[in-house]
Amino acid sequence: MIPELGHFALILALTIAIVQAAFPLAGSLVGNRQWMAMARPLAYGQFTFLLIAFACLVQAFLTDDFSVLYVAQHSNSLLPEIYKVSAVWGGHEGSLLLWVLFMAAWGGLVALLSKDLPATVMARVISVQGMIAIGFLLFTLLTSSPFERLFPVPADGRDLNPLLQDPGLAIHPPMLYMGYVGFSVAFSFAIAALIGGRLDAAWARWSRPWTTAAWVFLTIGIALGSWWAYYELGWGGWWFWDPVENASLLPWLVGTALMHSLAVTEKRGAFKSWTVLLAIFAFSLSLLGTFLVRSGVLTSVHAFATDPERGLFILIFLCIVIGGSLALYAWRAPEVSEGGRFDLLSRESALLGNNLLFVAFTVLVLFGTLAPLIYEAFDWGKISVGFPWFNKMFLALAPFLALLVGFGAATRWKHDEPMRLVKLLWVAFALSIAVLAITSLPTFSGGHLWVPIGLALSAWLLFSHIAIVRERLKNKQGWRTVVADMRGSGRSFYGMVVAHVGVAVFAVGVTMVSNFEGEKDVRMSPGDSHELAGYRFEFLGAQKAPGPNYQADRGHFIVYKGDRKVTELFPEKRAYLAGGMPMTEAAIDAGLFRDIYVSLGEAVGGGDWALRLYYKPYVRWIWLGSIFMALGGILALTDPRYRTARVRASAPAGSAVGARA
Amino acid sequence: MSPLIKTLFLAAALALGTAASAYTLEEFEFDSPQQQQEFRELIAKLRCLVCQNESLAGSQAELAQDLRNEVYKMMRAGQSKDEILDFLVSRYGDFVLYDPPLKPSTYILWFGPFVLIGIGAVFLLRTLMRKKSTTDQDLTDEDRERLRQMLTAEGGKTDQPS
Amino acid sequence: MSRSIRALIPLFLFAGLVALLVFGLGNDPRKVPSPLVGKPVPDFSLPELTDPSRSVSDEDLKGKISLVNVWASWCNSCRAEHQALMALSEIPDFQIVGLNWKDESRDALTVLRMTGNPYDMNGYDPDNTVGIHWGVYGAPETFVVDRKGIIRYKHIGPIDKQVWEETLEPLVAQLKAE
């Protein structure tokens, strides 16, 4: 009964989505206030019914209702409760439902929080959200309903993939989807603006916090996925450039460009049609990612069970949404004025450079991901494009980005003096050169070329932002005012600083771990010791250890540095009762400056084990940097500018109209 | 487990990492740590053909084990890295290489993105820098009036994301 | 370039992308074409499966048109293909040479005894020593080799009626005419 209720709620949500897509928009075009006023309640209704559908599915999982095909495929009576909930999004159908639910949640939030949005804009935004929801709900109902029944009812379910029975993986997809879908808000604002034929600073102001919020979620989602892959898969890596990983990176890259471009559009009224294009791209790439992951077009380690019919459906949907919005763009963009004049040396130029680089990164990732397909389509042979290619390509551009960030954040809007910048940044620059010189010494760099470059660029990012903060504080009479500044409109400034410092932290992590990591495959008998990077790993043997739904062999290690005992590690090798897939559960001693990582391979007889030992210096900094970036986004998001309607705050946009340099 | 079943099994909402969930480690003996390092780097850059997207180093598929063994044997027989790569490419094609070599057929792969980026950059810069020559006067009076109204009257009040 | 044409560029780029994705939907990314097509068969010598005292080598593939079929007893699709091979073994135009790949000879012989032996000869390759040289990455795979010992085609996956009639039969006819 309950699954049917869920299915029915989905159908109702679709009905609402259709009304939502039609009436508010139509109302905004013909000037019918009542139709426009339907936007808010419809957005809430849409969310409510999807929440009901989702709750029904959760209930089916919690009660082990294996008469539901999707539950039977992704759960098991022995599965711990918490994973029964996360199993809801453990497969294609359920994750799609989560996606649609989040889509409606964002729509509902817009309706709830943007009280002061002009009725026409609100009506159009909600309508566009409704249109996208129609596509996804049709997709769910026609090809991928999670509520399909199974007969005869199996005694037990097939179990959730053990790889997903993990807290990291329980929260990674929701975060990621919140990010993907969050870009639909910026997209809807862009389309609403294009429909109205007006793109202006007000539009940028409205989109900005939503874009930042989606970006924060996506940043956290990607970082979580990377962290999960690192500790759960036992291979010690944190990024493999797999098509599915790239699919999550693409909207992030464009989203990052969009955030920066929106700043220019809001403050200076410039780059308008470019910014709107980025808003379309960010969400389009989220959709493209969905297609790539769920259609089986590319080979990936973690593709969903794929189905050409689903692929075709999403492709048609893509054509309508992206093709339609780009056609709208082609129609409206030529009428958009490009206001806001600026000099070569200005914040505008720097942000333009940022946009160029991020779009370049996007082109690289997209091209590399699709290159095997392009080669096959033109019959140029079958090739693989893997991490070596992506690493080389990224390294070719990354230094420019790091250099630019330091300068760009220091420049002023509209026009800046070269001498002012030199005065402001020379110390930071000199310090970075010093870092470059010191880390170039062979004793430090170990002959790795990228060590001094990576560290000097990180230093540059850090020192230049210290200089920038110092200058701001000097103008605001010292450090004591920092708290007051943080309470006021300084938040987005500090958000930027924190996020940029996060980039520096991230860069240090990548540089150090890529160049100094150590790894050893060994066979060990109980009592054996092995040395790696100054640590001695003593193996005491492995014992059987039962788990709730698996049987494990648990190894016992003591790690010494010199004579000092550093830690004890208990890596596991698990055999899950349902499915029988073996799983390696690595044991990690995490530290700010290094991780020690042991993963258990195979028992090779006589109590001996094949295992892998890793030493991962500074690997945490990769995720720490990501957290900084996300925190920066959150800080910027809470800037009171987005909450209060102060006339002063809109002055910069006004300057696009009147003032002249 | 066949790759297909494995795919179905992995039907999951992951976005990251590689599914080296468990692996078999052969015991390879090397003359020197350098040789071991070289071997590692080599098998990390070779693709396991039957897997979804895993390197020879990360995969536990049988074919991957066979190929690891073959690479090991060739290495021990004193063959150079290039000779080993040539052999594998002659049997399995360029698909086996995660790091495609620079040659005429891969020029598009290695230079294509930069050409695209270059064209895009010139284009974008030309478009956006054009405003250096334009003035700010390209808004009509009507536009200006509307903007002023929006930003001061109702538009200035904005959404509350938190 | 006028602004209106410029504004159309993203749409054009997207159309290109869609064309690529449509191609991708109809394309099986798992099929890897063999670089050996057009090249002579690799040198090899393997014990014959049914009679280990004899051997099968590249010499046996010269002078006749051959279908070299990679198979194993553990491979389900090979079993599905077996009937088709039995039917093909009646045709005198070519020989069918098996490459018994990563298999146990006992299991392989059982399969041949129970379901019939379509092979004119069978190389036994339990350790994938020859398989690697042929670029084998799965079973079943079938190579079509001409009289000069040149590999002319590689079929990946089981041979069925459709594959035979649409692809292999015309190819064999062509090789016969050469």
Side-chain angles (χ1 to χ4, degrees):
Chain A
M1 194 36 211
I2 290 202
E4 279 67 34
L5 197 68
H7 197 252
F8 186 59
L10 273 184
I11 295 171
L12 281 179
L14 174 64
T15 321
I16 293 179
I18 293 170
V19 179
Q20 182 184 332
F23 281 87
L25 177 61
S28 80
L29 294 177
V30 301
N32 185 327
R33 291 225 152 247
Q34 266 168 325
W35 286 1
M36 284 196 269
M38 287 166 74
R40 274 204 180 89
L42 284 169
Y44 299 146
Q46 160 94 330
F47 175 69
T48 310
F49 282 106
L50 283 169
L51 195 64
I52 292 172
F54 191 76
C56 290
L57 191 58
V58 172
Q59 205 265 352
F61 269 91
L62 286 177
T63 55
D64 294 327
D65 186 353
F66 299 125
S67 70
V68 177
L69 176 66
Y70 181 72
V71 179
Q73 280 170 339
H74 295 93
S75 186
N76 183 282
S77 53
L78 292 177
L79 193 64
E81 202 96 311
I82 166 98
Y83 297 130
K84 280 184 184 166
V85 177
S86 70
V88 173
W89 52 84
H92 164 75
E93 290 86 351
S95 64
L96 197 63
L97 182 58
L98 186 70
W99 173 291
V100 194
L101 175 72
F102 283 169
M103 174 100 211
W106 281 104
L109 280 174
V110 174
L112 187 69
L113 298 174
S114 303
K115 290 250 162 59
D116 304 315
L117 214 54
T120 48
V121 177
M122 170 66 91
R124 285 173 190 155
V125 169
I126 296 294
S127 276
V128 176
Q129 292 281 101
M131 291 178 204
I132 306 165
I134 293 177
F136 273 103
L137 281 167
L138 277 177
F139 183 44
T140 310
L141 285 166
L142 296 180
T143 71
S144 327
S145 169
F147 296 111
E148 230 155 86
R149 292 281 193 173
L150 178 64
F151 190 82
V153 178
D156 209 334
R158 216 189 292 167
D159 206 2
L160 179 65
N161 181 346
L163 280 175
L164 306 186
Q165 297 182 25
D166 175 89
L169 238 273
I171 42 175
H172 156 65
M175 287 290 166
L176 202 62
Y177 291 177
M178 277 301 274
Y180 280 156
V181 183
F183 284 132
S184 72
V185 178
F187 174 85
S188 296
F189 270 102
I191 298 300
L194 284 174
I195 291 173
R198 307 252 181 199
L199 287 166
D200 44 40
W203 159 71
R205 165 72 63 83
W206 296 322
S207 317
R208 231 181 137 184
W210 297 103
T211 307
T212 310
W215 181 88
V216 167
F217 277 112
L218 195 55
T219 307
I220 297 173
I222 295 174
L224 267 175
S226 156
W227 175 58
W228 167 82
Y230 166 80
Y231 73 75
E232 182 67 16
L233 298 177
W235 66 305
W238 54 277
W239 193 262
F240 191 63
W241 296 106
D242 183 82
V244 171
E245 298 169 21
N246 295 348
S248 70
L249 194 60
L250 286 169
W252 187 87
L253 290 169
V254 175
T256 310
L258 174 62
M259 269 196 318
H260 290 87
S261 185
L262 275 171
V264 185
T265 308
E266 186 204 348
K267 295 257 188 188
R268 301 277 301 126
F271 303 175
K272 278 180 279 197
S273 58
W274 170 246
T275 307
V276 88
L277 194 59
L278 284 178
I280 294 174
F281 280 161
F283 186 58
S284 300
L285 287 169
S286 297
L287 292 179
L288 180 72
T290 319
F291 171 80
L292 292 180
V293 176
R294 292 167 202 253
S295 68
V297 160
L298 298 168
T299 13
S300 152
V301 217
H302 20 220
F304 283 91
T306 54
D307 178 342
E309 191 202 341
R310 286 178 190 162
L312 190 64
F313 194 108
I314 312 181
L315 189 57
I316 292 169
F317 179 54
L318 277 185
C319 286
I320 296 170
V321 175
I322 305 176
S325 46
L326 290 179
L328 185 65
Y329 172 84
W331 177 36
R332 292 295 202 181
E335 304 159 19
V336 174
S337 65
E338 294 289 355
R341 163 182 174 159
F342 57 87
D343 282 354
L344 198 59
L345 190 64
S346 63
R347 169 91 45 113
E348 286 92 326
S349 295
L351 287 171
L352 180 60
N354 152 296
N355 273 218
L356 266 178
L357 281 168
F358 272 95
V359 170
F361 282 133
T362 311
V363 169
L364 279 182
V365 178
L366 191 62
F367 186 86
T369 309
L370 295 176
L373 200 57
I374 296 172
Y375 266 69
E376 275 197 80
F378 288 96
D379 213 11
W380 294 334
K382 185 148 178 127
I383 56 163
S384 294
V385 182
F387 66 94
W389 185 87
F390 285 101
N391 285 350
K392 279 176 204 163
M393 291 302 198
F394 256 64
L395 285 180
L397 292 183
F400 295 105
L401 182 66
L403 281 175
L404 181 70
V405 173
F407 283 114
T411 48
R412 289 185 170 153
W413 291 107
K414 236 173 164 180
H415 169 80
D416 210 336
E417 294 298 330
M419 277 323 287
R420 190 191 77 87
L421 283 177
V422 169
K423 256 196 215 152
L424 180 65
L425 293 173
W426 76 269
V427 179
F429 194 79
L431 283 173
S432 312
I433 295 292
V435 170
L436 184 71
I438 294 166
T439 54
S440 292
L441 298 174
T443 45
F444 191 94
S445 71
H448 298 290
L449 175 68
W450 280 99
V451 171
I453 298 176
L455 295 181
L457 288 170
S458 309
W460 164 246
L461 281 172
L462 177 68
F463 294 136
S464 57
H465 280 80
I466 291 177
I468 294 163
V469 172
R470 269 196 54 191
E471 194 207 25
R472 183 184 174 97
L473 291 176
K474 208 158 65 193
N475 296 340
K476 301 222 172 207
Q477 284 107 40
W479 291 94
R480 265 157 308 186
T481 54
V482 71
V483 178
D485 199 17
M486 282 288 278
R487 284 216 193 98
S489 59
R491 284 220 193 141
S492 47
F493 169 78
Y494 291 107
M496 172 198 81
V497 172
V498 171
H500 286 171
V501 170
V503 179
V505 174
F506 174 82
V508 171
V510 175
T511 306
M512 294 302 284
V513 78
S514 314
N515 290 292
F516 294 119
E517 66 191 338
E519 180 180 344
K520 231 175 186 179
D521 288 342
V522 288
R523 175 190 178 135
M524 291 176 98
S525 312
D528 279 0
S529 284
H530 257 284
E531 192 88 32
L532 175 66
Y535 292 91
R536 189 162 60 82
F537 296 73
E538 191 185 338
F539 179 49
L540 300 182
Q543 262 153 12
K544 294 272 173 230
N549 55 345
Y550 58 83
Q551 271 293 336
D553 288 299
R554 178 184 290 173
H556 186 184
F557 289 82
I558 301 181
V559 183
Y560 298 94
K561 181 157 200 173
D563 291 329
R564 190 173 57 86
K565 179 172 144 186
V566 178
T567 183
E568 289 188 48
L569 293 173
F570 300 93
E572 287 184 11
K573 172 100 179 180
R574 295 179 181 171
Y576 281 79
L577 303 177
M581 191 160 129
M583 280 280 311
T584 302
E585 196 76 16
I588 302 172
D589 181 53
L592 187 56
F593 298 107
R594 59 103 191 94
D595 274 17
I596 299 168
Y597 185 128
V598 177
S599 100
L600 217 50
E602 302 273 307
V604 284
D608 289 11
W609 281 81
L611 11 108
R612 215 170 256 191
L613 313 173
Y614 297 95
Y615 164 72
K616 296 270 169 189
Y618 290 82
V619 68
R620 299 276 141 183
W621 289 44
I622 290 170
W623 307 300
L624 197 65
S626 314
I627 293 172
F628 272 55
M629 290 183 222
L631 277 179
I634 293 170
L635 262 180
L637 208 50
T638 54
D639 193 302
R641 189 163 41 140
Y642 296 120
R643 271 175 281 153
T644 49
R646 283 182 306 171
V647 180
R648 262 188 70 82
S650 54
S655 68
V657 182
R660 212 164 355 278
Chain B
M1 199 185 302
S2 88
L4 182 67
I5 295 174
K6 200 169 162 192
T7 322
L8 294 173
F9 208 71
L10 275 176
L14 354 173
L16 284 166
T18 169
S21 54
Y23 46 83
T24 319
L25 298 166
E26 299 87 355
E27 295 163 67
F28 292 123
E29 300 273 325
F30 293 94
D31 296 334
S32 63
Q34 285 82 353
Q35 197 179 31
Q36 176 165 19
Q37 185 62 24
E38 211 173 293
F39 176 71
R40 277 193 160 293
E41 281 170 13
L42 196 55
I43 59 173
K45 286 185 180 177
L46 290 169
R47 184 181 193 127
C48 162
L49 292 125
V50 293
C51 310
Q52 286 297 315
N53 185 13
E54 288 176 77
S55 70
L56 283 187
S59 169
Q60 55 166 349
E62 271 200 42
L63 184 69
Q65 293 175 27
D66 291 345
L67 286 172
R68 277 198 294 262
N69 274 317
E70 187 70 23
V71 171
Y72 175 73
K73 271 193 275 178
M74 293 180 79
M75 207 166 210
R76 296 289 286 183
Q79 303 212 42
S80 72
K81 202 177 125 194
D82 288 340
E83 284 172 315
I84 298 173
L85 291 178
D86 284 347
F87 168 76
L88 288 170
V89 169
S90 72
R91 299 312 186 221
Y92 290 97
D94 285 335
F95 187 62
V96 78
L97 303 175
Y98 267 132
D99 193 8
L102 189 62
K103 58 181 183 182
S105 73
T106 59
Y107 282 169
I108 290 185
L109 178 67
W110 286 101
F111 303 125
F114 291 111
V115 173
L116 278 180
I117 291 166
I119 294 172
V122 168
F123 208 71
L124 193 67
L125 286 173
R126 254 193 38 197
T127 309
L128 293 175
M129 286 306 186
R130 185 166 306 169
K131 72 182 53 30
K132 267 186 76 81
S133 56
T134 62
T135 65
D136 290 339
Q137 295 283 27
D138 52 1
L139 293 175
T140 63
D141 289 343
E142 185 207 350
D143 275 340
R144 233 176 289 168
E145 178 53 25
R146 190 178 156 276
L147 240 176
R148 196 187 60 76
Q149 276 178 4
M150 279 191 98
L151 287 168
T152 53
E154 51 176 350
K157 299 180 182 174
T158 53
D159 39 6
Q160 306 171 3
S162 52
Chain C
M1 207 184 316
S2 84
R3 291 187 83 177
S4 45
I5 293 179
R6 236 175 17 227
L8 275 168
I9 291 175
L11 193 60
F12 289 145
L13 289 178
F14 177 66
L17 180 68
V18 169
L20 186 68
L21 296 178
V22 168
F23 164 81
L25 271 185
N27 181 51
D28 181 359
R30 311 187 52 78
K31 293 226 161 124
V32 186
S34 172
L36 289 168
V37 172
K39 305 235 167 67
V41 297
D43 297 341
F44 73 97
S45 178
L46 283 172
E48 219 283 329
L49 176 68
T50 49
D51 178 5
S53 63
R54 280 170 45 213
S55 72
V56 179
S57 76
D58 44 298
E59 286 304 315
D60 294 307
L61 299 178
K62 287 174 188 153
K64 265 189 203 158
I65 299 169
S66 322
L67 298 189
V68 178
N69 177 253
V70 182
W71 69 285
S73 63
W74 46 261
C75 144
N76 289 327
S77 328
C78 301
R79 235 167 280 154
E81 176 185 63
H82 202 84
Q83 287 308 316
L85 288 178
M86 287 304 288
L88 293 185
S89 66
E90 309 284 318
I91 305 175
D93 297 346
F94 51 86
Q95 58 176 353
I96 302 181
V97 179
L99 179 65
N100 184 235
W101 186 63
K102 293 173 76 69
D103 208 352
E104 295 287 336
S105 69
R106 216 184 43 192
D107 298 341
L109 288 170
T110 311
V111 170
L112 294 186
R113 207 171 44 239
M114 304 286 281
T115 55
N117 184 353
Y119 303 103
D120 294 281
M121 60 189 97
N122 232 316
Y124 178 52
D125 184 23
D127 302 321
N128 196 8
T129 47
V130 169
I132 285 182
H133 288 256
W134 281 74
V136 173
Y137 69 89
E141 287 179 4
T142 304
F143 297 83
V144 181
V145 180
D146 70 12
R147 290 196 191 93
K148 289 186 212 113
I150 310 280
I151 297 175
R152 301 296 290 265
Y153 184 74
K154 178 182 181 183
H155 175 74
I156 294 159
I159 296 173
D160 54 21
K161 198 163 174 301
Q162 191 190 2
V163 171
W164 170 252
E165 281 171 1
E166 286 175 10
T167 317
L168 298 183
E169 194 174 23
L171 180 62
V172 168
Q174 181 204 329
L175 294 186
K176 218 178 126 194
E178 272 178 11

